[in-house]
């Protein structure tokens, strides 16, 4: 993930990098792939993918550019969120932004830097789930192209667990013998159990999220919150102050049989020599938990003077980019027809079919702090499930009012 790439407030390393690159995006020439004068169109791509991935996308772009008389520069942008927006709003900003988390999309669109995706370029039949398309849709319109996805699933120590649980209720009983820990007070990891019985953050109305309809305190959410409280306060499976580092270390050391996390922790388990597998989260009260999903996306800058060429390059990235994100970035592809051979990637792709994309509207900024704070109060026994849910709703509403 960067696990917390979804937080809008997070400032990435190298805050001045994006600003210093503004001059790289000169828009000389016309958008005619060479035109009658023979002068090349110039495109600049800023990427938030890893250095190795950027190098591979640069190779794709250079080859395409040579074939189409377009000069393309792909640069690794590690600048902060606001610097990128300001650069994209300028006359010399990037033409394409590649590899950013989808939950920032609403803020980008509000800032006027996302061009609407041409019809047919993104459609549900191309991807592993309809949620992929939802992640790039705002008010019924598509503003970005998906490239990779991530979600959470259940890590199982096969030496401690002889048969996988079919339900969370069964897992709880087994965990009393073999252990179960995860970062329970982190909403990103625990949301799945609120959603299992109908909880949600913002109501999804056919691809349009309604921030006035908050479902964190409904009956389904309260059931999920009660389950979470019981894990700590009734069954004593983990401490109220458990965190990601402790839970990950214990699983990698072979101390626990079950652990919830994402693909970023696969290598840690391997390095620990654990004989493990990854499976979708078992059902809770007969319903499948629905973990949160993050999607890495790309979009064309609405301020680009060369949008026609930019979209043609985007099509080339779509055609060849899944190889890059899977083989070089070790990410989970979004293309349903892309063949993967890694068993862990396959497991996360299966779990992602039931995942909910994180909200992609600006109001997501109001979600994280109230949700995390009330999970902590719940785990420590300071509030009950119903109160925690209602607190979340009230505090998210208050946070939204402060964003206006």
């Amino acid at each position: 993930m960067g696990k917390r790439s979804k937080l809008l407030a997070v400032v990435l390393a190298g805050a001045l990098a994006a600003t210093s690159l503004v001059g790289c995006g000169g828009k000389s020439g016309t958008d005619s792939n060479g035109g009658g004068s023979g002068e090349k169109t110039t495109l600049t791509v800023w990427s938030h993918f890893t250095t190795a991935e950027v190098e591979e996308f640069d190779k794709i772009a250079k080859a395409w550019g040579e074939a189409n008389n377009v000069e393309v520069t792909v640069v690794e942008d590690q600048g902060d969120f606001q610097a990128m927006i300001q650069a994209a709003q300028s006359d010399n900003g990037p033409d394409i932004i590649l590899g950013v988390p989808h939950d920032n999309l609403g803020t980008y669109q509000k800032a006027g830097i996302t061009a609407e995706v041409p019809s047919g370029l993104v459609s549900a039949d191309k991807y592993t789930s309809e949620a992929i398309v939802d992640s790039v849709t705002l008010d019924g319109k598509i503003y970005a192209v998906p490239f990779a996805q991530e979600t959470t699933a259940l890590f199982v120590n096969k030496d401690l667990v002889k048969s996988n649980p079919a339900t969370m209720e069964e897992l709880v009983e087994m965990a009393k013998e073999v252990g179960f820990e995860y970062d329970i007070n982190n909403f990103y990891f625990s949301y799945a159990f609120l959603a299992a019985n109908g909880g949600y953050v913002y109501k999804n109305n056919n691809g349009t999220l309604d921030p006035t309809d908050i479902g964190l305190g409904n009956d389904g959410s309260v059931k999920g919150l009660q389950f979470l409280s019981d894990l700590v306060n009734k069954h004593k499976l983990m401490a109220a102050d458990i965190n990601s580092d402790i839970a990950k270390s214990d699983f990698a050391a072979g101390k626990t049989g079950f652990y919830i996390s994402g693909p970023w922790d696969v290598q840690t388990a391997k390095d620990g020599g654990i004989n493990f597998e990854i499976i979708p989260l078992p059902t809770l009260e007969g319903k499948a938990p629905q973990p949160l999903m993050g999607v890495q996306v790309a979009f064309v800058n609405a301020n680009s003077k060369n949008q026609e060429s930019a979209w043609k390059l985007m099509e080339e990235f779509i055609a060849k980019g899944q190889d890059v994100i899977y083989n070089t970035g070790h990410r989970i592809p979004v293309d349903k027809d892309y063949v993967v051979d890694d068993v862990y990637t396959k497991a996360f792709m299966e779990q992602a079919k039931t995942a909910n994309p994180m909200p992609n509207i600006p109001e997501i900024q109001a979600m994280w702090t109230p949700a995390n704070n009330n999970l902590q109060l719940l785990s420590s026994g300071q509030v009950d499930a119903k109160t925690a849910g209602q607190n979340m709703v009230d505090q998210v509403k208050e946070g939204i009012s402060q964003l206006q």
Side-chain angles (χ1 to χ4, degrees), residues 277-331:
E277 64 179 315
I278 296 169
I279 63 172
L281 295 168
T283 61
L284 178 63
E285 296 189 12
K287 306 290 181 58
Q290 299 170 35
L292 286 171
M293 170 195 290
V295 182
Q296 285 74 46
V297 306
F299 62 88
V300 168
N301 186 355
N303 299 296
S304 168
K305 296 181 176 68
N306 295 320
Q307 288 190 39
E308 182 180 348
S309 292
W311 282 117
K312 290 178 180 178
L313 175 56
M314 184 75 81
E315 290 177 1
E316 187 74 356
F317 284 158
I318 293 170
K320 298 179 179 179
Q322 294 292 271
D323 280 339
V324 177
I325 67 101
Y326 177 59
N327 293 314
T328 302
H330 308 294
R331 303 176 191 267

Side-chain angles (χ1 to χ4, degrees), residues 8 103 105-108 110 138 360-366 403:
L8 293 179
D103 51 301
L105 192 59
T107 300
Y108 296 148
K110 187 176 181 180
L138 294 164
N360 61 2
I361 56 178
E363 288 81 1
I364 189 176
Q365 298 175 77
L403 295 174

